[in-house]
Amino acid sequence: MFNTIGHIFSLTTFGESHGAAVGGVIDGCPAGLDIDFEFIKSELRRRSCGGKATSSRKESDEVEFLSGVADGVTLGTPIAFMVRNTDCKSSDYDTLKNIFRPSHADYTYFVKYGVRDYRGGGRASGRILLPCVVAGAIAKQILALSGVSVSTNVTRIGERCSQCFSLSEIEEILLDVGAAGDTVGAEVSGVIHNVPQGIGEPVFHKFQAELASAMFSINAVKGFEYGEGFRAASMRGTECNDVFISNGDGGIDIATNHSGGIQGGITNGKDVTFKVAFKPIPSVMTEQDTVNTSGESVKIKIGGRHDICVVPRVLPIVEAMAAMVTLDFIMLKRTNRIV
């Protein structure tokens, strides 16, 4: 029950990093959507990314749709799909079978379940979010029918900030960090464009709360804010308030967007703006102190294939989460009123 996101449009995921496959079941997808399979492939390519600064693990990421789709059109029934893992090198993790890697989920999974999949982090691997990209790509296609879209960009890598880093700039920074045997954190800014007014379910299912929950489900996320976020703590009400104005056609508009498109947990019609902070990937290539499953102190130097930073691979994941949350709320709104 805790591997599911969404209430009306929902996704339940399964799989481990080095298992046979990862996949999911989408429920609540409306019938009659002519799926753009090439768009799904392009989103998965964005996630796999490639390049000198990313993991050398190369998966084909071919999606196999098992149900819910016929002749490329959704049937309104559960959409089951999977992506087979074909480039696993589990032997890279043999030396880590009885060792807890610093700042990984090794120890907490072991404490909770009494057993853990040490191969690539198992269920705690970033690869298990691949099904979210597939479901998010479908959600994006449904949202596009109403003119709603999601965009992201990288605004911080370590100590360096920019309104929008280019891919070449990102790679240059990450190669420098990787050459030092280290990793680095990042910040991603997102915008949900043309969000309809009135979506969000107070009190305990506010739009920003569910958006934050989805983002915190992404590996390595350490912080989330929307609108002015933490900056609002240093502002005065007179500068932070969003003033209502007439739009000249007898309707109402809002002069500013300090609230990030959300007030009282409900969207107000402005674009929803948010930021997500990611910690450095904990698989550093330098030697560290840790303990084994017997509690003995040991040294560890992590090998294998790892990224230096979550960006730019995480961008389609952030967008997918935002798209699924937005679509789910739009569908929930239809249950709120008689007319």
Side-chain angles (χ1 to χ4, degrees):
M1 64 185 296
F2 297 113
N3 292 290
T4 299
I5 181 173
H7 296 78
I8 305 297
F9 181 93
S10 68
L11 168 70
T12 301
T13 69
F14 65 85
E16 294 83 34
S17 177
H18 286 217
V22 293
V25 177
I26 302 169
D27 210 348
C29 182
L33 175 69
D34 192 353
I35 295 181
D36 185 342
F37 294 102
E38 287 302 316
F39 177 68
I40 295 175
K41 289 181 180 179
S42 70
E43 292 291 89
L44 290 174
R45 283 195 295 270
R46 289 178 65 205
R47 193 205 70 86
S48 63
C49 217
K52 298 177 182 178
T54 57
S55 167
S56 59
R57 179 174 178 176
K58 303 302 178 187
E59 296 280 0
S60 60
D61 290 345
E62 293 292 332
V63 185
E64 300 177 40
F65 286 93
L66 309 176
S67 69
V69 180
D71 297 325
V73 177
T74 59
L75 300 174
T77 55
I79 301 173
F81 65 91
M82 70 176 183
V83 176
R84 298 182 187 275
N85 296 324
T86 59
D87 188 27
C88 303
K89 290 185 178 180
S90 300
S91 59
D92 287 346
Y93 297 88
D94 286 347
T95 58
L96 303 176
K97 184 175 182 179
N98 298 309
I99 295 177
F100 298 126
R101 295 170 297 172
S103 284
H104 287 72
D106 298 346
Y107 178 69
T108 50
Y109 265 66
F110 184 75
V111 169
K112 180 175 178 62
Y113 297 106
V115 64
R116 67 182 176 93
D117 185 351
Y118 62 90
R119 306 166 304 164
R123 187 72 176 152
S125 167
R127 184 160 178 77
I128 62 96
L129 293 170
L130 183 151
C132 297
V133 177
V134 176
I138 292 175
K140 283 183 177 182
Q141 293 177 52
I142 299 171
L143 291 173
L145 299 175
S146 302
V148 182
S149 63
V150 184
S151 64
T152 57
N153 61 80
V154 181
T155 48
R156 174 185 288 273
I157 303 175
E159 296 181 350
R160 293 183 59 173
C161 298
S162 172
Q163 289 299 310
C164 186
F165 287 98
S166 68
L167 288 176
S168 60
E169 288 176 320
I170 293 173
E171 186 169 89
E172 180 182 352
I173 295 170
L174 299 190
L175 288 175
D176 286 343
V177 173
D182 217 336
T183 61
V184 68
E187 178 186 271
V188 172
S189 295
V191 182
I192 311 174
H193 306 272
N194 300 319
V195 182
Q197 293 179 330
I199 63 172
E201 304 292 328
V203 171
F204 299 114
H205 193 53
K206 295 176 180 177
F207 188 87
Q208 75 271 23
E210 292 303 302
L211 185 61
S213 177
M215 296 305 160
F216 276 111
S217 298
I218 303 174
N219 306 54
V221 168
K222 287 295 183 181
F224 172 86
E225 64 177 27
Y226 70 101
E228 293 292 351
F230 285 95
R231 181 174 175 268
S234 63
M235 299 173 70
R236 296 197 175 191
T238 49
E239 61 179 327
C240 191
N241 282 353
D242 291 318
V243 178
F244 293 102
I245 58 174
S246 171
N247 65 7
D249 296 320
I252 298 172
D253 201 352
I254 305 174
T256 52
N257 194 22
H258 301 296
S259 301
I262 307 164
Q263 291 165 331
I266 303 171
T267 57
N268 60 18
K270 305 290 277 188
D271 287 348
V272 172
T273 60
F274 62 93
K275 292 182 179 179
V276 188
F278 294 84
K279 72 173 184 178
I281 288 174
S283 295
V284 299
M285 303 297 285
T286 54
E287 190 174 75
Q288 301 175 86
D289 294 315
T290 188
V291 298
N292 59 25
T293 52
S294 299
E296 300 166 331
S297 297
V298 296
K299 297 285 187 179
I300 183 175
K301 187 172 183 180
I302 299 174
R305 302 169 295 175
H306 306 284
D307 291 334
I308 299 167
C309 184
V310 297
V311 297
R313 284 155 59 92
V314 82
L315 296 182
I317 299 172
V318 171
E319 292 173 17
M321 293 299 194
M324 286 190 287
V325 168
T326 303
L327 178 58
D328 191 42
F329 270 112
I330 289 173
M331 297 175 80
L332 275 169
K333 184 185 178 185
R334 297 170 186 167
T335 70
N336 289 158
R337 298 172 61 169
I338 296 175
V339 292

